[in-house]
Amino acid sequence: MENGNKLLAAISYIWILCIVTILCAKDDAFARYHANQGLVLLIANIASVVAGFILGFIPFVGGIISWIISIALFVLMILGIVNAATGKMKPLPLIGGIEIIK
């Protein structure tokens, strides 16, 4: 496995950069695996922003729930980057089983 592919796989967890990995590593199963996980994480982040807006109308509790979700997604992002950088194809907890990119 090339270091460039590890780099592409690792950056796929950073917001919209999963699209770069999808476009640049079409034939690399390792990078596509991590691009899929990054895309699922991106969708989860977008959903959490929407949920945070809605939960913002609930005083105190809504803010705490939104904060916990944000921290959890950040931890998943770090786990994904570490897995990609070390060459592992390990699914992320909770969202790792979702497959968008075949």
Side-chain angles (χ1 to χ4, degrees), residues 8 11-12 16-28 31-32 35-36 39 101:
L8 277 175
I11 67 168
S12 66
I16 198 78
L17 293 178
C18 62
I19 305 298
V20 172
T21 304
I22 293 168
L23 296 174
C24 293
K26 292 180 181 180
D27 298 328
D28 183 7
R32 287 185 62 78
N36 178 72
L39 183 60
I101 302 170

Side-chain angles (χ1 to χ4, degrees), residues 51-52 55-67:
L55 290 171
F57 292 110
I58 304 171
F60 188 67
V61 174
I64 290 184
I65 293 171
S66 179
W67 182 78

Side-chain angles (χ1 to χ4, degrees), residues 11 29 31 33 40-41 51 56 63-64 70 74 78 81 83 87 96:
I11 67 168
Y33 174 81
V40 172
L41 192 58
I64 290 184
S70 296
F74 180 73
I78 298 300
I81 291 170
N83 285 339

